[in-house]
């Protein structure tokens, strides 16, 4: 050691005296140049680096090989979509970073300007998610989700524990809540309750163990139940309201679709898809045999003791629940039907769900908690867990939806609907559902409906069919957004838990989408014909409402 120190000292002394000597000491190479070259090759040519390189490579292949009869930007948009979705699917680059790719790819490819792309990353839906996440953090901070989770678990866990029954209880509660409010709001409300149950389990030891599988089933069940429940009522999702609005605008003299009329068709449809979803999740992730592995963490006697140990609700818990309850009421009553206006009409439609979400979240920073002097229900330190990575992912979804529209790719996709005129009558509903269900994976549900439904009205006129025979499958298919996190904001709520990945969504989403299309194929010509009188006289179109026409 002493000789080594002396050598180092002499080296530094010589370096100081020699003006040509390097500023930093040179280390003796520990390996041959050949070994160093091989090591560098191994570092560069890794599987992840190859997956990263495949993104722009696939983009270039699309640009060179695909030709559309339309603007060049439509082809470029398809190429960019392939690049982004490849990185998302393989997770070659962290998902939040991939989510920012439209910010530089869209301007470079001439799809949209930098400012236009950036604006899509913040809109009313993003505001809704931000405000809802703050409220959800308040629910978690005061253990309200634990209280709700314990009650739901006690009600549905069974004795002995029956995991499929517990999963049914969680999913059924989510679907019921989603019948009366926005799908995203229902998912935001129920996800903390679901994770409150999952937090009782230890960290999973593997991706295929019963704990991990049941966790995936619960999270997937919540996000899919939120979407399925929204199909059953007019107020459950904006898609149904857009459909009814277009029907009234295009056919003002025809009998209009009311809340009860839609429910007679929507509830059986949603119920059949819900049962299928529950069966798929039980088959893939939640067998009854897993009850023995999970029962030690969900003992009924222990659950009752824990619920009693929470004691009565304190002032802060009651206030958080009150704020949440008021928010739910505001969400449900902002926009009702054309005959019964909601409170949003007082502001001429300027307010949205995100408006009230952020407003009620702000109240949490104003209302005292009565736990300490000057302490409020929430402060910014408690909000540091906000999932900004999910906000970026959600913004990317809106940027892609806007890019598909701007580039002309949406029009090109919709132009392929002409083939519907030549297919058999019984194949029309599944074909329309399939097309609408495909487009909705890349654009918002509302945008898909606004794009597809007017085209379906024209196709129905050409085929001499009742317009609702095509309009309803098109609108329902737009709600089959089961494959990607960016397909709908409620999917992102589940993805933010970190308990599922894209492969899980595709694994469950594909059979669920197929079953949904099958259910629509069976119910539309039977129950739909009875409820909507599609076997009766075909209504004549009236003068189009200018706002609807401009959107279409």
């Amino acid at each position: 050691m002493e000789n080594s120190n002396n050598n180092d000292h002499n080296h530094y002394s010589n370096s100081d005296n020699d003006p040509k000597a390097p500023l930093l000491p040179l280390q003796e190479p520990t390996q041959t140049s050949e070994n160093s070259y091989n090591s560098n090759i191994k570092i560069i040519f890794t599987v992840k680096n190859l997956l990263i390189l495949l993104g722009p490579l696939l983009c270039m292949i699309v640009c060179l090989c695909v030709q559309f009869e339309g603007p060049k930007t439509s082809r470029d948009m398809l190429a960019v979509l392939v690049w982004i979705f490849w990185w998302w699917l393989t997770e070659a680059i962290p998902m939040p970073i991939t989510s920012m790719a439209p910010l530089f790819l869209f301007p470079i490819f001439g799809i949209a300007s930098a400012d236009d792309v950036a604006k899509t990353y913040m809109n009313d839906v993003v505001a809704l998610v931000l405000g809802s996440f703050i409220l959800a953090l308040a629910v978690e901070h005061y253990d309200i989700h634990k209280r709700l989770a314990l009650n739901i678990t006690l009600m549905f866990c069974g004795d002995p524990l029956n995991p499929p029954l517990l999963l049914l209880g969680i999913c059924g509660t989510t679907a019921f809540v989603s019948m009366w409010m926005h799908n995203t709001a229902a998912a935001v409300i129920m996800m903390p309750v679901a994770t409150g149950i999952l937090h009782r389990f230890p960290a999973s030891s593997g991706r295929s163990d019963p704990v991990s599988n049941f966790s995936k089933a619960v999270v997937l069940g919540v996000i899919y139940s939120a979407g399925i429940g929204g199909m059953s009522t007019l107020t459950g999702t904006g898609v149904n309201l857009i459909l009814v609005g277009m029907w009234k605008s295009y056919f003002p003299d025809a009998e209009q679709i009311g809340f009860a009329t839609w429910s007679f068709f929507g509830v059986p449809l949603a119920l059949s898809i819900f049962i299928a979803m529950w069966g798929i999740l039980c088959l893939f992730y939640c067998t009854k045999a897993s009850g023995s592995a999970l029962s030690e963490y969900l003992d009924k006697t222990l659950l009752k003791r824990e619920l009693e140990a929470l004691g009565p609700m304190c002032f802060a818990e009651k206030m958080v629940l009150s704020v949440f309850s008021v928010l739910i009421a505001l969400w449900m009553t902002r926009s009702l039907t054309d005959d019964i206006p909601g409170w949003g009409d007082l502001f001429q439609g300027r307010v949205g769900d995100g408006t009230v979400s952020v407003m009620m979240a702000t109240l949490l920073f104003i209302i005292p908690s009565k736990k300490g002097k000057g302490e409020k229900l929430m402060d910014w330190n408690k909000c540091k867990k906000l999932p900004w990575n999910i906000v970026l992912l959600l913004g990317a979804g809106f940027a892609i939806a806007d890019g598909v529209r701007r580039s002309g790719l949406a029009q090109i996709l919709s132009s392929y609907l002409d083939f519907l005129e030549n297919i058999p009558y019984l194949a029309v509903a599944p074909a329309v559902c399939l097309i609408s269900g495909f487009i909705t994976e890349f654009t918002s549900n509302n945008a898909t409906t606004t794009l597809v439904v007017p085209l379906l009205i024209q196709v129905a006129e050409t085929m001499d069919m009742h317009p609702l025979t095509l309009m309803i499958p098109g609108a329902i298919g737009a709600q089959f957004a089961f494959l990607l996190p960016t397909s709908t904001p409620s999917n992102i709520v589940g993805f933010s838990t970190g308990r599922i990945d894209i492969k899980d969504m595709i694994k469950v989403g594909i059979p669920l989408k197929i079953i949904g299309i099958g259910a629509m194929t069976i119910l539309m010509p039977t129950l739909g014909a009875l409820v909507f009188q599609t076997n009766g006289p075909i209504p004549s179109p009236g003068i189009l409402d200018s706002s609807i026409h401009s959107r279409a």
Side-chain angles (χ1 to χ4, degrees):
M1 288 293 294
E2 184 176 353
N3 292 336
S4 175
N5 291 337
N6 289 337
N7 290 337
D8 290 342
H9 176 74
N10 292 335
H11 177 79
Y12 284 112
S13 299
N14 294 335
S15 298
D16 292 339
N17 296 331
D18 185 0
K20 296 182 179 181
L23 294 176
L24 296 177
L26 298 177
Q27 295 182 351
E28 294 295 328
T30 57
Q31 55 184 1
T32 65
S33 59
E34 183 178 355
N35 290 338
S36 176
Y37 176 78
N38 292 336
S39 177
N40 290 334
I41 290 294
K42 291 179 180 179
I43 292 173
I44 295 173
F45 291 101
T46 63
V47 174
K48 179 157 282 192
N49 286 344
L50 292 176
L51 293 176
I52 292 172
L53 184 62
L54 270 176
L57 184 60
L58 290 172
C59 175
M60 184 176 65
I61 291 173
V62 171
C63 288
L64 294 175
C65 300
V66 176
Q67 293 295 331
F68 287 137
E69 293 182 1
K72 173 179 173 292
T73 52
S74 60
R75 182 204 62 195
D76 294 341
M77 183 65 210
L78 180 63
V80 169
L81 277 179
V82 171
W83 183 342
I84 293 174
F85 282 120
W86 173 259
W87 276 2
W88 265 338
L89 189 62
T90 61
E91 296 187 27
I93 287 180
M95 189 162 289
I97 304 302
T98 304
S99 300
M100 291 191 290
L103 290 169
F104 66 87
L105 288 177
F106 284 15
I108 290 174
F109 281 85
I111 296 167
S113 68
D115 283 341
D116 289 335
V117 180
K119 288 174 183 176
T120 61
Y121 278 74
M122 177 55 71
N123 58 21
D124 185 65
V125 177
V126 177
L128 181 147
V129 171
L130 280 174
S132 300
F133 271 134
I134 292 175
L135 283 157
L137 287 175
V139 168
E140 289 186 2
H141 178 73
Y142 292 104
D143 284 335
I144 299 172
H145 67 302
K146 184 177 181 181
R147 191 184 296 272
L148 294 173
L150 285 170
N151 279 290
I152 291 178
T153 307
L154 280 170
M155 188 180 302
F156 292 103
C157 72
D159 193 13
L161 176 66
N162 187 336
L165 179 63
L166 177 56
L167 178 64
L168 180 64
I170 298 170
C171 295
T173 304
T174 306
F176 178 78
V177 170
S178 184
M179 291 172 66
W180 315 107
M181 66 180 62
H182 195 282
N183 299 349
T184 305
V188 168
I189 288 172
M190 287 303 300
M191 195 58 70
V193 177
T195 53
I197 296 173
L198 300 181
H199 285 160
R200 306 186 58 80
F201 302 129
S204 59
S205 57
R207 296 183 63 84
S208 60
D209 68 298
V211 171
S212 176
N213 284 339
F214 185 71
S215 299
K216 290 178 180 180
V218 168
V219 173
L220 289 170
V222 168
I223 60 177
Y224 291 153
S225 297
I228 293 170
M231 299 176 191
S232 56
T233 63
L234 284 182
T235 56
T237 175
V239 170
N240 295 344
L241 293 173
I242 290 173
L243 171 68
V244 172
M246 285 189 174
W247 173 250
K248 184 174 183 178
S249 297
Y250 277 88
F251 304 95
D253 298 329
E255 184 177 352
Q256 299 306 306
I257 302 173
F259 188 95
T261 303
W262 180 267
S263 297
F264 283 135
F265 177 77
V267 171
L269 174 67
L271 184 61
S272 61
I273 299 175
F274 175 83
I275 293 172
M277 177 210 69
W278 176 63
I280 292 171
L281 290 175
C282 290
L283 179 65
F284 287 160
Y285 297 114
C286 180
T287 61
K288 196 169 182 178
S290 62
S292 57
L294 303 174
S295 58
E296 60 180 298
Y297 309 109
L298 292 174
D299 180 75
K300 233 175 180 180
T301 305
L302 182 60
L303 292 174
K304 289 179 181 178
R305 288 178 187 170
E306 290 191 15
L307 188 58
E308 293 172 358
L310 291 176
M313 297 182 69
C314 65
F315 174 81
E317 292 178 73
K318 292 178 181 177
M319 290 308 300
V320 170
L321 274 183
S322 298
V323 171
F324 225 141
S325 300
V326 172
L327 176 59
I328 292 171
L330 291 174
W331 275 337
M332 292 174 59
T333 58
R334 181 180 67 87
S335 177
L336 299 176
T337 63
D338 292 331
D339 299 327
I340 307 175
W343 61 265
D345 287 1
L346 297 174
F347 301 92
Q348 289 78 45
R350 293 190 301 269
V351 299
D353 288 337
T355 307
V356 291
S357 180
V358 174
M359 181 180 71
M360 300 309 293
T362 303
L363 286 180
L364 299 177
F365 296 83
I366 299 173
I367 301 173
S369 66
K370 288 192 175 181
K371 290 200 168 193
K373 187 176 180 180
E375 184 178 342
K376 309 299 181 183
L377 291 175
M378 287 289 285
D379 57 57
W380 187 245
N381 286 330
K382 297 171 186 172
C383 294
K384 288 183 177 178
K385 293 196 298 182
L386 277 173
W388 297 106
N389 57 329
I390 302 304
V391 174
L392 289 173
L393 184 61
L394 183 58
F398 289 120
I400 288 172
D402 185 66
V404 169
R405 180 187 59 82
R406 283 175 177 269
S407 65
L409 183 60
Q411 285 73 18
I412 290 176
L413 293 176
S414 62
S415 67
Y416 290 102
L417 294 177
D418 293 342
F419 78 94
L420 292 173
E421 300 174 5
N422 302 318
I423 65 176
Y425 172 79
L426 292 178
V428 169
V432 168
C433 264
L434 184 63
I435 294 168
S436 189
F438 173 76
I439 296 175
T440 197
E441 298 294 345
F442 306 98
T443 66
S444 70
N445 303 352
N446 294 347
T448 301
T449 306
T450 305
L451 169 71
V452 171
V453 168
L455 298 169
L456 294 175
I457 293 174
Q458 297 175 8
V459 173
E461 185 178 355
T462 303
M463 298 179 67
D464 197 27
M465 295 175 59
H466 196 288
L468 288 178
T469 307
L470 299 184
M471 293 173 67
I472 292 175
I476 294 294
Q479 300 176 61
F480 293 160
F482 301 139
L483 300 183
L484 299 172
T486 53
S487 302
T488 178
S490 56
N491 288 1
I492 293 181
V493 173
F495 203 79
S496 66
T497 64
R499 296 178 182 270
I500 60 173
D501 52 34
I502 293 180
K503 294 177 183 177
D504 294 312
M505 297 188 68
I506 293 175
K507 179 180 178 181
V508 177
I510 289 177
L512 187 57
K513 192 182 283 273
I514 293 172
I515 289 173
I517 294 172
M520 174 58 68
T521 303
I522 295 171
L523 289 177
M524 190 61 216
T526 53
L527 180 62
L530 179 65
V531 172
F532 300 110
Q533 300 296 312
T534 56
N535 291 333
I538 299 176
S540 300
I543 299 174
L544 297 183
D545 179 88
S546 60
S547 63
I548 295 291
H549 182 69
S550 63
R551 284 184 299 171

